[in-house]
Amino acid sequence: MNFNITTTLLLGFLMFGSNLMAQIEIGGGQEESSEENIDELRIIDKRDDATEVYFVSNWSRTSSILTESKGLSAKPLGEREFETSLDTWSFGVGYRTRVNKYLSVQGGISYLRNGESYTYETIDSLFTYNTTYAYIAMPVKVLFTYGNEIKLLAGGGVNPQLFSGYRQDQEWKTKTNATGDETIKRKNGYSSFVLSASLNIGVQLKFSEKWALLFMPEYRIQLTDSYLENDAYDHFGRALGFDLGLTMYL
């Protein structure tokens, strides 16, 4: 009788112990799985919210809207009416950081140029010039972003621009086949500050853990006058081109 009671108690303890160990093992597996999921989420968050630094060159076909000033100093456009577009290169660096899953804010500094060209040609003579206006710009943009390895970007912003310099490169040939050239540079006589707006849509291709290639077309429109208030003309730059460069994930 005592043997049967002892056997029964022993079997009960064994079954209770087995059940307890099974519960502990199952609980431990769930805890380990949860930790793995949290680690994966942390990796995803770190990747998606990374700040990027960009280095770009910008090629643009630039032109201007030139009109007679409404002031007392206004005068007819004359030959300037026939100015045409000019291809220019600009350069910039900056950063981009994510605000949420689909929205990023971008800011930076760039050396920005726009301008126009003019050519007057007859059978035996030629006169041509290229005019560029250079600025130190501080673009600020808000961009919709989608994707990671291949990222689509679309948005726009404003470009505050500090005037850096005016340059006009002239060339000519006379009826006697004499040729010449001259470069005119100025720092004064132009608005020290202008404001532009830009629209962008592009793509970014990630090719390593830290680097991506960026291609972003841009349309830029100048909102304020390049010239001083008492100038004979009102001048507003335009540009259509693209940024090409690299971004680095921090």
Side-chain angles (χ1 to χ4, degrees), residues 140-159:
V140 178
K141 300 178 182 180
V142 177
L143 299 171
F144 168 82
T145 60
Y146 179 79
N148 184 50
E149 302 298 321
I150 300 177
K151 182 181 293 184
L152 302 178
L153 307 100
V158 293
N159 289 24

Side-chain angles (χ1 to χ4, degrees), residues 2-239:
N2 291 336
F3 174 77
N4 292 334
I5 293 173
T6 303
T7 302
T8 302
L9 291 173
L10 180 60
L11 290 174
F13 278 122
L14 289 174
M15 292 176 65
F16 176 77
S18 299
N19 186 40
L20 180 61
M21 291 298 294
Q23 290 179 0
I24 291 173
E25 289 179 359
I26 292 172
Q30 290 176 345
E31 182 177 352
E32 182 178 353
S33 176
S34 298
E35 290 179 353
E36 290 177 356
N37 291 337
I38 291 173
D39 289 340
E40 289 179 1
L41 289 173
R42 286 174 179 169
I43 292 171
I44 291 172
D45 288 342
K46 185 177 180 181
R47 179 195 67 196
D48 286 347
D49 295 337
T51 297
E52 306 167 50
V53 177
Y54 66 82
F55 314 86
V56 296
S57 299
N58 175 281
W59 174 89
S60 291
R61 176 150 291 180
T62 66
S63 59
S64 61
I65 295 178
L66 188 70
T67 59
E68 295 179 23
S69 173
K70 296 179 181 179
L72 297 176
S73 57
K75 63 181 181 180
L77 299 181
E79 287 298 311
R80 292 203 61 182
E81 181 181 354
F82 305 106
E83 289 178 337
T84 58
S85 60
L86 177 68
D87 295 343
T88 63
W89 283 94
S90 303
F91 310 92
V93 297
Y95 71 94
R96 183 189 310 128
T97 186
R98 295 185 69 92
V99 176
N100 58 42
K101 186 176 181 181
Y102 297 112
L103 197 65
S104 295
V105 175
Q106 177 175 299
I109 186 168
S110 63
Y111 178 70
L112 187 152
R113 291 187 293 182
N114 61 288
E116 58 265 349
S117 65
Y118 170 80
T119 299
Y120 176 80
E121 187 173 11
T122 64
I123 297 176
D124 51 8
S125 63
L126 171 70
F127 177 71
T128 181
Y129 62 75
N130 293 328
T131 304
T132 56
Y133 307 82
Y135 298 91
I136 303 300
M138 291 153 283
V140 178
K141 300 178 182 180
V142 177
L143 299 171
F144 168 82
T145 60
Y146 179 79
N148 184 50
E149 302 298 321
I150 300 177
K151 182 181 293 184
L152 302 178
L153 307 100
V158 293
N159 289 24
Q161 300 167 206
L162 298 177
F163 181 70
S164 176
Y166 165 97
R167 175 179 176 137
Q168 186 175 90
D169 296 309
Q170 300 179 355
E171 293 183 6
W172 61 84
K173 183 181 73 171
T174 67
K175 296 179 180 180
T176 59
N177 285 328
T179 60
D181 61 80
E182 182 181 8
T183 297
I184 301 171
K185 296 181 180 180
R186 296 179 186 147
K187 291 283 188 179
N188 301 317
Y190 300 90
S191 178
S192 60
F193 173 84
V194 299
L195 183 67
S196 297
S198 60
L199 295 174
N200 299 85
I201 183 168
V203 63
Q204 185 169 295
L205 176 62
K206 188 175 182 181
F207 61 86
S208 73
E209 183 179 351
K210 283 287 188 179
W211 293 94
L213 180 66
L214 174 68
F215 175 74
M216 184 179 292
E218 177 180 72
Y219 176 67
R220 189 173 66 249
I221 178 172
Q222 194 172 306
L223 303 176
T224 59
D225 194 353
S226 306
Y227 297 162
L228 296 176
E229 186 176 354
N230 60 353
D231 197 275
Y233 309 115
D234 294 328
H235 179 277
F236 298 86
R238 299 288 186 271

